[in-house]
Every structure is written in structure tokens, then in C-alpha cells.
Amino acid sequence: MPVVTLEKLVALQRNAEDVRNICILAHVDHGKTSLTDALIATNGIISPKLAGKIRYLDSRPDEQLRGITMESSAISLCFSMARRSAPGAEPVQKDYLINLIDSPGHVDFSSEVSTASRLCDGAVVLVDAVEGVCSQTVTVLRQTWIEHIKPILVINKIDRLITELKMSPEEAFMHLNKIIEQVNAVLGSFFQGERMEEDLQWREKVEERVAAAAAKEQEKSQQSTIDAANGVDSEAAASTNADFEERDDEDIYFAPEKNNVIFSSAIDGWAFTVRQFASLYEKKIGIKRSVLEQVLWGDFYLDPKTKRVLSSKHLKGRALKPMFVQLVLDNIWAVYTATTGGDKGKGDPTMLEKITKSLSITIPPHILRSRDPRALLTTVFAAWLPLSTALLVSVIEQLPAPPSAQASRLPTLIDTSPGASHVHTSVREAMTSFKTSADAPVVAFVSKMVSVPASELPQNKRRGGGTVTAEEAREMARKKRAEITKAQATESGDMSNGLNGITDALNGINIGDREITNRTTMEQPEDPEHLIGFARLYSGTLTVGDSVYVLPPKFSPANPHASPEPQKVTVTALYLLMGRGLESLTSVPAGVVFGIGGLEGHILKSGTLCSQLEGSVNLAGVSMGSQPIVRVALEPVNPSDLNKMITGLRLLEQSDPCAQYEVLESGEHVILTAGELHLERCLKDLRERFARCEIQAGEPIVPYRETIVSSTEMAAPKNKDLPRGTVIGVTTSKQMTVRLRVRPLPPLVTAFLEKNTAAIRRLYAERKAEEQSHAEINGQVEDMTEMEGSGQEGAVDSNLLSSADFKRAVLAAFAENKEDQDVWSDVVDNITAFGPRRIGPNLLIDNTPSKLCRRFLQVSQDTVSKPDTETMSSASTLAPEALSDKISYAFQLATAQGPLCHEPVQGIAVFLEEVTVAPPSDEDSSNRDNLGRLTGEVIKTVRDSIRQGFLDWSPRLLLAMYSCEIQASTEALGPTYATLSRRYGRILSESFKEGTPFFTITSLLPLAFSFGFSDEIRKRTSGAASPQLLFAGFELLDEDPFWVPKTVEELEDLGEYGDRENVAKGHMDKVRARKGLLVVGRKARDAEKQKTLKR
């Protein structure tokens, strides 16, 4: 294959219509990287014989060792094809630039898929012909749907149907048909969900218009209210119906006749589309290619006598094969039989000769003499159905170029960005119209930061591509020997001996000399890591030396100068991404995926680059497929390496899209990762690249949640005179008394609050902005404490619920609760705060007669009354209103650390019923002194009171759960079930995949018992089962950690000490021991009987 030069790739970037930005997405081990190898071989980067074996884009040693991709890698390829400008014109050779991104398929690295898909305009989705649609296949299809990128389907590993499953062509045809139906069913579910949401929004608009029109008509005429309302009702409904249009979903599905489905075997190097075989049989059968494309796939048959295409109705009992089987699959099966032998195990030279003659293929003699049948197989297919041709032609014809893709994708992307209404018209038009002129605004999105060693940067590499010739190697060795000789002669002081001294020194050199080796090793400088931005340019042209603004994910164009104000940085370098290497560029036009230098320290994970600040757009809304859930505390083996480790952790956090680094209150340095494999990769990178020191990891820190339920086994209330959960707390100085009641929230309300934390965060941000503006108007600008989590206002989605919609949704959630409706009827208007971190699924409700706390959903009224609160606190008598913020802060503390094991609380409501403040006993003390002294007492008293009310109910722990999907053969089912039950897993479903020997098992597995699960299940099933673990939220463990036998039946069954395992108490004690809290254990009984004596 000819080698494509860098100059040619750079020249192709200038013609945007000939550029395609694609990513390859699939489940793990479905053949993405092997498929990419075949494409890379077309540019002469690797040998075609090594395609599928070398896995060129898996540049990490652990990727090669495990055989899976862990980081998305990009490479630019050139593809030439002959195209006709008109149907009768002569074909003209045309070059295209393919910017290809290979992404991981493992669930732990779903964040890499998210970052790759945002930069691309099209996607190649691979599905294993044997395994079919798997969990990550659904995930990547959803990602293409969310990002509005057009996909094409590749059904890979069809050779396994022949060699492993021993299917006949008819069986394979039915199996492939089912796979396409499964993929289309997934896409159909996405479309149906979107249409249902649009229909709901349309109905709400209809109701709003009808209500508004009826109210307006009622104002005009009070006498004809009923008739006018009815008339307007129908009119408004009719006008709204005209606005609603049904969308056709035909264009979203995959169909081979549309040429958006490719059948391939990446390991054998072949692929084809229906159009290719239609072109082959056009002259032979005498049917036009356009007609053949429509009937070659499906329930159509070819009459061998008349050469006419028949449908199933006109078969008249004849046993004909479908056209796809007869014209396509039979021929592919014949090639396998002639070369590898198929079921016979030995090839057929006679059949092979017939095939090569009919296809006009010439096989080199040395391959014919070869004893390797796969060499024959790959040679025949490489000449007949080369993989790169089928795939790249489909990519060029089916997937859009950057100008057309941005025109369709970016309006939705901009409209859903933060502060979309404040985006300047010139920026919007430059992005959607694909302006590349020098005066057009520059807008680029950096999806992630990639860490590259300094030695691999183009400016630090050799000009010749890093290859050293034999002469250069000898010259380098001679110079090195001369340097060592001179150094030794200088040290010995024998410089006057001339040639004799040099000869003696050379004779004394030993290549394996330990001293010289150590000296050379010590002189080698460290290879520092540099962060390169992985970016896509949407408009304008970016040149080295340009200055652009770096917009963080929290930026909003509505308030562009808000703190922290975006910084202006200078672009120090631009790179062409070539897989394992980088090539320097001077400028980059719009529509290109590239690397950018100079952003280190300015972008944490992702961000937007814009040439202007006012009216810019924030594109940093990438939805990560998996959230970091596995936490591990780290410490260096040598304490003096602590600063190295901290620096390495910060570098790791920037270079990994999903990893997070935080320091706990205890001083522990903790890293959060998406899973066990992700953690292993992060630790390897930390030790070898970023920190360069020995680091030891502690036991994984498993997250839990605490909650309360109302059960029949609850003990009697601690205070019989008060309702359950009611506590009266008194401060140490007896100056304040608070009465509150803790109740469990209805499950529907808790689930709603968990799903809408982003909406709560935005409502807090709006409330804070109103308070600040009101304080400025009154000249009372305060030094307000930054609310934790409230700084995300720029990162919110414009599709989030507004304040009114949020209030209606909460009311609806409470209305669905059928129990204790009188308790929850009017709580929404009295909601004061959410917790923990002010966005959690717990409520603080103000039921005091004077309503001393601010209302969360009535911000405007409360902000007006705020100065009155300050006035009252400065009066001679301390008012309870002055303590409202202290009570709210105590609520945050109590919900952040529950009473069981100091884990976050969820699903409780705290009703604040009464707050009384007694006058101070000391007459000389001022009100300000009383408030300062009371602050700590109030916070402690309210926090402890909430915890006491919590324990008055039946406490429960919620376990973090993994959704586990396992594909296993029949022989591996027994060991799989045994491993799951040993780790407290729960089977949800088991389904048999028709046409395959595999079962798909879906289960839930506690995170606390998941560590080492993948390795164990592979060992016990000899590699026949491989699990995919995805965080599925928290699940209630319905067991009281404080349960002890009390009734007569329990004492009879379990004894006085309750000798059954309390799983909840085991979890609680383990967490308390890790945090250094008091663990109440069982005292030793009959100690002398517990000894095992030999005699």
C-alpha cells in the first residue's frame, strides 16, 4: 500500500466536503480495533498481513496484554475512490480525508465513548454476529441518538457463523435478519420515548393556551363565560393541532437495501454491502442495479428459468432459496469450504480454482504452496471483497460531511446549551453555516485532555520519524565511546599519553560495565507528561499563536464576567492525531478533529474555546456513560513522595474523563473511578507516568446510604408522650428550644428528587442570584458564603424543570402517595431546604406558626423579607428568625452524616414545628454576643435532634448496586449462578439467544461484594462467561442493623443472642471501623469452650 504523506493529509483538511469525522462504537470484543487495522493498512501505516493482529491503535501495553481498548485514539486516513459527476460521465479519482476515532467497548470506559461521539458527525456501530445486541451496544446507540450523529451498522464476525456455529447459509440469513431487527427495536424505543415526551409537552401547551384564552374571554364578558370558553376551547385546540406534526421514523432504521448495513469479518479482512453484489450481478442476471439493491435482501426469490424476481406469494410451492442466500451467502460459504475446508477440515483445490477463475483472481504461487489455509482465505477475500473498500465507500456515501452535519446537529446543541438565548447571532451563524474565513469567530470544543510524554511530541522527535539507520547507529556509538574515553582519561589525569592512553581506555571499556550503566541511567532526564487537548473546530480557522478564551463547563453567556472569569490563553501548538504519534500543524480549518497545546492548567476535563467572550456558546454538556463510584484511598510507600503523588493525581484527573480526585476530611487522598478495571489502569498510570513513585492503595471505600422505614417490628417510641419521630431539643444554655419531627418521605417523592438534582441546583442558583441583586439594590451587598454545589448554574441543561414546573411535579408526586395524605397535603409550599449538599433527596419543612424560615419555591417573597430578619436579629430581643440559617445548616450536617455510620441520608422529611428563644439570664450580655454564642449550640442541638428522630423509626441501609449482564454458554451456567449467589447477587432475568449457544443473565450485585468478581467468574467458567458491571443506583437492604430477638417465637427460634447473621449490622460495623467510630460488638461467651486443646 502507498504511504500517504503528511502534506497530502493537511491539504485534504481544506476541503470540508471531502472530510468525514467518524467514530467506531461497539460492545467490548466485537472487533472495533481489528476493523480499524484494516482501514489503517490502506494508508501503508501497517502491513495488510498484520491487520487484525497488531491492533495498531491499542498503543498502551496493558491494552495489548488484555486485548481490549481502554482509551479512545484518533487517526487521519486518506481514501481514494472513483466517482462519477453524472450518471453517464467518466469516473474521476477523488481523495477523501477520514478522521477516525476508535473508542473502548468496556463499560468502565464509557466516558471515552461520550467524549469521542461529541467530536464526530457519524458513527460506525459494530455488532457481533454471534453475540448480537449486548448492553454496551444499547449504550452506544443511545449515545448516537443523544448526540444526533448518523450511524451505519456493521455486522462483524460473520466467519464465526461458519466456523463455530456451523450454520448453513439459510440459517445464517435468518440469524442476520434477527440481529437487524434487534438493533432497529432499540432505535424504535428511543424514537417512541422521544415522541411520547413531545406529545406530553404538546398537550401541556394545549391546556395552557386553552386556559389562557378562556381567562381572557372571561375578562371580556362575564355573562357569556360558559359559551365563550367553549368556543375558544375548540378554536385553541384546533390551532394547536395545526402546530403539531407527526414525524416519520422510517429514516432512523437500518436496512441493507438502504446500504447502511455492512456485513463483514474483520479478522479475515472482508466486507460487503448489498450494493456491491448488485453491481456484480447486474450484467449477469440482466436486472438493473437499483432494482437489485431493493430485492437482494428480504423475502425475494430468483426464478432460475425466467430470471425474474418473485415474492413469497408467487413461489407456488417451489423450494427456492432467498436471493441473499443464493447470490451472496452461498458464494461466501463456498470460499470458506474451498480454502479452510469448513466442516471437512481440509480445503478443496479444485473448487478454489473454479472460484478464482470465475472471479478473475490470481493467487501468487507462494501462497498456493503455503500450508496455511488462512493465507489462501485472506488472499481471495482481499482481492474480491476488501474490507476497507466496502466500509469507507459506505462512510463517504452514507455519513454527512462537516458542513451538512453541523447545519443539522448544532442548532439543537446550541439551543440546549446554558444561556442559549444570550448566544450572539454571529457565533450561531458561524457554527451552523460552517464559516471558515479569517474574520469568523473561532469556536472549538475540547472533549478531553490527553497525556503525552515529552519525548513523543513532534518537536522532540527525530525528523526521520524516529527510525535510525545502521550508519547513524554506528556513528552514535562511536561518539558515545569517544565521550566515555575522554571522561575516563580526564579522571585518570593521563592525557599526555596520546594515542596509547586512548587505546588503553578503549580496551578497558566493558559494554556491560555496571558503573557506566548506572552513570548513564542517572544522567537520563525524566520524561515529563504534557497535556494535549482532544478537540474539534466548529467555525473559523485556528492558527498557532492565536489567543482564545477558555470557557469552563460552568460558564454561561448570560453572565460572561461571572467569577471565575474565563481566561485568555495562547495556542502554543496544533497537532494532527495519528494514532500512536502526533504531527505538527500550523493552522487548522473548521470541521477537523485535532490536538491542541497550551491548555494545560486551564481545562480540567472538557471545555469550549471561543475567540470572543460576550455572546459565546458553552458546549461542555457531555453526558458521561458511567459515573465514578469506586473510591480508593491512596498513600505513597515513601512518605517523602507525597507531593509527587498529589501532583500525579491532579494530572491523572485532568487526563482521564471519568477519574476524580478528592481529599476527605480525614486527610485521605481518594481517587474515584468507574470500576475495578478503570481503577487498575489509573493506578498503573499513576505509578509509571504521573507520580513516578511507589503508591499503595487501600481497601475500596464502598458508598452507602441511610434511610428510615415504618415497619411492624419497630420498637415503641422513645418518648411515649410524643408522636413517633418527634424530638424536643434544648441547647446547653437552656436559651433555645426546638421541636421537630422526622418522617420517612414517600418513595415516589424520593425517587423524583434523586432524578432532578440538577433542577434543584439551578433553582438554588437562581435564588442566590435574586438575593444578591436585591442586596445590591438596597446597598447591602453581603459576603455571602458560596453554597456547595450551587456554582453549577452554567452547566445546567435548558431542558430542566422551571420553578413552576418543578413545584407542580413535586405536588403530583405527593398526590400519588395514598398514605397519610393529610400530612403531605400542604408541605410543598413550606419546603425550606433540600439536603445534603442542598440538592439531596431530603426535605426540611417549616411548620412553625410564624414561618420563620424562607420558602424555597417562593424566592421573591422571602428575599424581600430578608432585611427585616437582619433588623430583628439586631434588636434587643433575639428573635427565632435569626436562627433560621443555623437550623438549615444543621439539617445539612445531619443529612450528610447519618447516625448509623456517618453516610449520607436519603428519603426523610424533617418538620420544624416550634422554635422558642428564652431571654438571656445575664442582663449585661448583648444580643450580638448571644447570637454568636448560640450558633454552635443551635447547630449541635438541631443536628442531634434530627438524628434522634431518625433512630425513633426503623433504620435501614441502602447498598450500592451493580447491574450485571453476563453472556455464558450452557456449560458455564452452573458456575455463574454459584458465583453470583456466593456474592449475594440476585438474578433478574435469564434469556436464551436464538441461533446461538449463549444465555444472557441479568442480575443485581452489591458493590461491596463485586471486587474480584470478574476474575473469579472467568476462572470458574474457564473464560466462558464475561460480566459487564454498570452502576444501577442504591437498593434498600430490608434489615434493621439494631435488630435483636424480643418475642417469644424469636427467642425460641434464634436463642437469647440471635445467632443469625445480621448482614446490615455487618455492613454498618465495617464502615464504622474504617471511619474510626465506636463499634459495638458481641462480647465473648464461654471463652473456655472456644479454645481447641490438643489434650
Side-chain angles (χ1 to χ4, degrees):
M1 294 291 177
V3 178
V4 179
T5 61
L6 174 64
E7 290 75 15
K8 187 173 184 179
L9 294 176
V10 174
L12 289 173
Q13 290 181 346
R14 305 297 170 184
N15 191 358
E17 291 294 338
D18 297 338
V19 176
R20 299 292 185 273
N21 298 313
I22 64 170
C23 55
I24 299 185
L25 310 175
H27 188 76
V28 65
D29 287 334
H30 278 200
K32 298 180 296 300
T33 309
S34 300
L35 185 82
T36 308
D37 276 358
L39 305 183
I40 294 174
T42 61
N43 279 223
I45 299 174
I46 62 174
S47 169
K49 295 180 180 179
L50 297 176
K53 304 178 183 68
I54 194 173
R55 300 199 305 274
Y56 180 77
L57 290 184
D58 286 351
S59 55
R60 296 170 56 95
D62 48 356
E63 289 179 326
Q64 292 286 343
L65 183 64
R66 289 180 175 271
I68 62 172
T69 305
M70 297 184 184
E71 288 183 352
S72 54
S73 304
I75 192 167
S76 295
L77 303 174
C78 174
F79 178 67
S80 299
M81 64 177 289
R83 302 198 72 175
R84 289 185 174 93
S85 56
E90 288 293 323
V92 179
Q93 201 74 11
K94 196 172 183 180
D95 292 335
Y96 291 88
L97 177 66
I98 310 293
N99 293 319
L100 183 144
I101 302 177
D102 181 27
S103 62
H106 196 281
V107 67
D108 280 9
F109 309 108
S110 297
S111 56
E112 296 279 350
V113 178
S114 306
T115 57
S117 57
R118 172 57 63 93
L119 303 181
C120 296
D121 304 318
V124 179
V125 179
L126 269 72
V127 176
D128 192 316
V130 174
E131 297 182 4
V133 176
C134 298
S135 58
Q136 281 299 102
T137 311
V138 178
T139 302
V140 299
L141 286 171
R142 183 181 291 110
Q143 193 68 34
T144 62
W145 184 269
I146 292 172
E147 295 290 344
H148 301 283
I149 58 179
K150 186 177 180 181
I152 59 175
L153 178 66
V154 177
I155 301 180
N156 194 25
K157 300 189 180 183
I158 295 181
D159 59 291
R160 294 182 65 190
L161 303 181
I162 307 171
T163 58
E164 290 183 23
L165 301 186
K166 311 293 183 184
M167 284 186 177
S168 65
E170 292 86 351
E171 294 171 339
F173 173 65
M174 298 300 296
H175 183 72
L176 295 173
N177 203 0
K178 287 179 181 177
I179 290 177
I180 296 176
E181 289 177 0
Q182 291 172 3
V183 177
N184 287 335
V186 174
L187 293 175
S189 65
F190 299 155
F191 178 80
Q192 184 180 7
E194 188 176 275
R195 295 301 292 161
M196 290 176 66
E197 185 177 353
E198 290 177 359
D199 183 64
L200 179 62
Q201 294 174 355
W202 173 75
R203 291 179 185 276
E204 290 177 352
K205 289 180 180 178
V206 169
E207 294 174 0
E208 289 176 1
R209 291 184 182 181
V210 170
K216 188 181 293 184
E217 200 67 23
Q218 189 175 13
E219 292 176 2
K220 291 182 179 178
S221 174
Q222 291 291 338
Q223 297 178 354
S224 58
T225 303
I226 300 175
D227 298 334
N230 292 335
V232 174
D233 197 326
S234 59
E235 184 182 350
S239 64
T240 313
N241 279 326
D243 296 336
F244 185 76
E245 294 181 1
E246 288 291 344
R247 265 197 304 135
D248 187 14
D249 61 343
E250 185 180 357
D251 57 337
I252 69 171
Y253 296 119
F254 295 112
E257 59 268 21
K258 295 180 182 177
N259 291 295
N260 58 4
V261 178
I262 302 171
F263 305 91
S264 78
S265 170
I267 195 69
D268 292 336
W270 60 266
F272 66 89
T273 59
V274 167
R275 176 172 293 179
Q276 280 182 272
F277 274 93
S279 301
L280 291 173
Y281 286 108
E282 181 180 11
K283 295 180 180 178
K284 187 174 183 179
I285 300 178
I287 302 175
K288 290 184 178 180
R289 190 184 74 174
S290 58
V291 177
L292 268 179
E293 288 178 12
Q294 300 301 317
V295 298
L296 200 53
W297 174 269
D299 201 10
F300 296 99
Y301 304 85
L302 182 66
D303 192 333
K305 295 181 180 178
T306 62
K307 301 293 183 181
R308 295 182 59 187
V309 178
L310 306 176
S311 63
S312 56
K313 304 185 233 184
H314 303 89
L315 284 181
K316 298 178 181 179
R318 287 184 291 177
L320 296 180
K321 296 180 181 179
M323 290 183 65
F324 191 77
V325 174
Q326 182 181 356
L327 302 180
V328 180
L329 295 185
D330 279 348
N331 294 323
I332 292 175
W333 259 246
V335 173
Y336 274 90
T337 304
T339 53
T340 62
D343 295 336
K344 301 176 183 177
K346 187 177 180 181
D348 188 345
T350 307
M351 182 186 292
L352 179 63
E353 186 178 355
K354 289 181 180 179
I355 292 173
T356 53
K357 284 184 179 179
S358 63
L359 297 176
S360 302
I361 296 173
T362 303
I363 301 177
H366 70 279
I367 293 179
L368 286 172
R369 293 192 300 268
S370 173
R371 296 183 180 180
D372 184 11
R374 290 192 58 81
L376 281 172
L377 178 71
T378 54
T379 303
V380 172
F381 275 124
W384 180 34
L385 299 173
L387 186 149
S388 57
T389 302
L391 182 59
L392 293 179
V393 168
S394 298
V395 164
I396 291 168
E397 293 181 348
Q398 298 294 324
L399 300 184
S404 56
Q406 290 187 195
S408 59
R409 280 184 68 203
L410 290 188
T412 306
L413 200 64
I414 296 173
D415 291 338
T416 55
S417 65
S421 58
H422 295 83
V423 176
H424 200 275
T425 309
S426 62
V427 175
R428 182 185 291 267
E429 288 182 358
M431 296 175 67
T432 55
S433 304
F434 197 77
K435 294 183 178 180
T436 60
S437 59
D439 57 345
V442 174
V443 179
F445 175 65
V446 181
S447 67
K448 69 170 185 174
M449 301 296 288
V450 182
S451 179
V452 179
S455 59
E456 295 185 10
L457 294 177
Q459 56 267 30
N460 298 331
K461 294 178 87 174
R462 292 176 47 81
R463 292 258 176 207
T467 307
V468 181
T469 63
E471 292 77 8
E472 290 176 337
R474 284 193 289 268
E475 180 66 21
M476 290 171 62
R478 187 188 63 78
K479 290 181 179 180
K480 189 67 177 175
R481 285 196 299 270
E483 290 175 4
I484 296 173
T485 303
K486 187 175 180 181
Q488 287 184 344
T490 304
E491 290 177 2
S492 62
D494 194 14
M495 294 292 291
S496 59
N497 290 337
L499 186 60
N500 294 331
I502 295 176
T503 306
D504 295 337
L506 286 173
N507 292 335
I509 292 176
N510 185 1
I511 295 175
D513 191 1
R514 185 174 301 171
E515 182 181 353
I516 298 174
T517 304
N518 290 340
R519 184 188 308 164
T520 307
T521 305
M522 291 175 63
E523 289 176 357
Q524 286 182 352
E526 288 189 357
D527 195 6
E529 298 285 335
H530 289 266
L531 294 176
I532 305 298
F534 193 33
R536 158 79 182 268
L537 190 61
Y538 288 103
S539 66
T541 301
L542 194 61
T543 309
V544 176
D546 287 352
S547 295
V548 291
Y549 287 98
V550 178
L551 311 181
K554 300 177 185 179
F555 173 82
S556 174
N559 192 5
H561 297 282
S563 178
E565 188 169 350
Q567 298 177 347
K568 201 167 189 178
V569 299
T570 302
V571 178
T572 59
L574 295 172
Y575 302 103
L576 180 68
L577 304 172
M578 293 299 293
R580 301 184 180 186
L582 301 170
E583 298 291 344
S584 293
L585 299 174
T586 55
S587 65
V588 170
V592 173
V593 178
F594 63 100
I596 179 170
L599 304 180
E600 191 168 352
H602 299 283
I603 289 183
L604 178 60
K605 291 183 181 296
S606 63
T608 308
L609 306 180
C610 195
S611 57
Q612 65 185 56
L613 189 57
E614 285 77 10
S616 54
V617 61
N618 182 8
L619 301 175
V622 179
S623 58
M624 294 300 174
S626 58
Q627 297 299 323
I629 188 65
V630 179
R631 297 188 296 171
V632 173
L634 306 177
E635 63 177 1
V637 175
N638 187 355
S640 62
D641 293 333
L642 180 61
N643 289 333
K644 281 186 179 180
M645 187 189 77
I646 294 174
T647 304
L649 283 169
R650 288 174 180 157
L651 275 172
L652 175 66
E653 186 181 21
Q654 292 181 66
S655 63
D656 194 300
C658 192
Q660 294 181 12
Y661 162 59
E662 63 181 25
V663 181
L664 302 183
E665 294 179 358
S666 59
E668 292 178 293
H669 298 273
V670 172
I671 183 174
L672 285 82
T673 59
E676 199 172 359
L677 183 59
H678 187 209
L679 172 64
E680 187 176 333
R681 190 197 77 178
C682 289
L683 291 177
K684 180 180 176 62
D685 286 347
L686 197 61
R687 293 185 180 113
E688 297 179 1
R689 297 174 58 188
F690 301 123
R692 298 179 186 272
C693 64
E694 285 300 317
I695 294 173
Q696 59 185 10
E699 289 292 323
I701 302 173
V702 180
Y704 294 89
R705 295 292 183 267
E706 302 179 19
T707 190
I708 51 176
V709 296
S710 176
S711 67
T712 56
E713 300 177 354
M714 287 189 298
K718 294 181 174 59
N719 192 336
K720 297 181 180 179
D721 299 330
L722 297 174
R724 184 181 294 276
T726 303
V727 179
I728 299 177
V730 182
T731 59
T732 309
S733 62
K734 312 293 185 185
Q735 194 170 351
M736 192 208 76
T737 303
V738 59
R739 174 179 169 136
L740 54 84
R741 186 179 184 190
V742 179
R743 295 183 65 96
L745 268 178
L748 290 174
V749 179
T750 305
F752 172 79
L753 295 178
E754 285 180 333
K755 291 179 182 178
N756 291 275
T757 54
I760 300 172
R761 179 185 289 117
R762 187 180 68 170
L763 295 179
Y764 260 113
E766 293 174 354
R767 171 175 167 177
K768 179 183 175 182
E770 287 191 20
E771 289 177 354
Q772 287 179 337
S773 61
H774 182 78
E776 290 174 2
I777 291 172
N778 291 275
Q780 298 174 354
V781 181
E782 302 172 358
D783 185 14
M784 301 181 66
T785 305
E786 184 81 17
M787 290 188 298
E788 187 176 1
S790 66
Q792 301 279 345
E793 60 269 20
V796 296
D797 191 349
S798 60
N799 291 328
L800 296 178
L801 297 175
S802 63
S803 179
D805 294 339
F806 181 81
K807 185 175 180 179
R808 283 197 296 267
V810 175
L811 283 170
F814 276 112
E816 292 183 21
N817 180 49
K818 304 302 181 184
E819 298 179 358
D820 300 330
Q821 291 187 352
D822 54 334
V823 176
W824 309 107
S825 58
D826 57 347
V827 298
V828 176
D829 291 330
N830 295 330
I831 293 176
T832 295
F834 297 83
R837 302 181 63 186
R838 295 185 170 88
I839 56 172
N842 304 289
L843 299 180
L844 176 62
I845 300 165
D846 184 7
N847 272 3
T848 57
S850 60
K851 306 299 180 186
L852 59 91
C853 296
R854 300 190 188 99
R855 302 293 178 271
F856 178 76
L857 297 176
Q858 297 176 1
V859 179
S860 58
Q861 299 177 10
D862 290 306
T863 51
V864 174
S865 62
K866 184 181 174 183
D868 297 335
T869 301
E870 296 296 330
T871 305
M872 294 176 71
S873 67
S874 61
S876 58
T877 304
L878 185 64
E881 286 79 0
L883 305 174
S884 60
D885 55 340
K886 283 74 178 175
I887 295 173
S888 177
Y889 183 69
F891 168 74
Q892 302 296 334
L893 291 180
T895 52
Q897 293 185 339
L900 298 183
C901 51
H902 284 195
E903 290 290 313
V905 177
Q906 75 175 42
I908 70 168
V910 179
F911 291 84
L912 189 63
E913 297 182 347
E914 186 180 0
V915 178
T916 57
V917 179
S921 58
D922 188 1
E923 297 179 357
D924 296 333
S925 61
S926 65
N927 180 57
R928 188 69 60 182
D929 294 339
N930 292 335
L931 182 60
R933 179 167 52 82
L934 269 179
T935 298
E937 295 183 7
V938 170
I939 292 174
K940 181 179 181 299
T941 302
V942 174
R943 183 197 64 186
D944 294 344
S945 299
I946 293 175
R947 290 178 176 176
Q948 289 176 26
F950 183 99
L951 294 175
D952 211 10
W953 297 84
S954 184
R956 293 289 189 272
L957 280 177
L958 286 95
L959 305 182
M961 304 295 287
Y962 270 138
S963 172
C964 177
E965 183 178 281
I966 306 172
Q967 282 202 345
S969 59
T970 310
E971 298 79 11
L973 284 180
T976 300
Y977 284 143
T979 308
L980 278 171
S981 61
R982 192 181 302 110
R983 292 175 176 266
Y984 297 91
R986 189 172 79 254
I987 306 296
L988 298 180
S989 65
E990 175 194 301
S991 59
F992 177 70
K993 289 199 169 185
E994 295 184 14
T996 70
F998 296 107
F999 285 85
T1000 300
I1001 303 165
T1002 307
S1003 62
L1004 283 177
L1005 183 69
L1007 175 63
F1009 301 103
S1010 67
F1011 302 104
F1013 173 71
S1014 299
D1015 292 338
E1016 182 183 357
I1017 202 169
R1018 287 193 191 98
K1019 289 177 182 176
R1020 293 186 178 275
T1021 61
S1022 300
S1026 180
Q1028 288 278 303
L1029 302 175
L1030 182 64
F1031 181 62
F1034 291 87
E1035 186 179 77
L1036 183 73
L1037 178 61
D1038 197 10
E1039 189 173 5
D1040 191 340
F1042 300 116
W1043 181 87
V1044 290
K1046 294 179 181 178
T1047 63
V1048 177
E1049 292 81 3
E1050 291 172 348
L1051 290 170
E1052 287 179 354
D1053 293 341
L1054 302 170
E1056 181 182 354
Y1057 300 100
D1059 292 330
R1060 74 172 185 182
E1061 182 186 7
N1062 191 329
V1063 179
K1065 188 176 187 309
H1067 286 293
M1068 183 183 72
D1069 289 347
K1070 190 175 181 180
V1071 177
R1072 292 183 69 91
R1074 177 175 58 81
K1075 294 184 176 181
L1077 304 174
L1078 177 65
V1079 178
V1080 180
R1082 181 179 298 175
K1083 296 180 180 179
R1085 296 180 285 111
D1086 302 328
E1088 68 279 359
K1089 293 183 180 179
Q1090 295 178 10
K1091 295 179 181 179
T1092 304
L1093 303 178
K1094 291 184 179 179
R1095 58 179 185 272

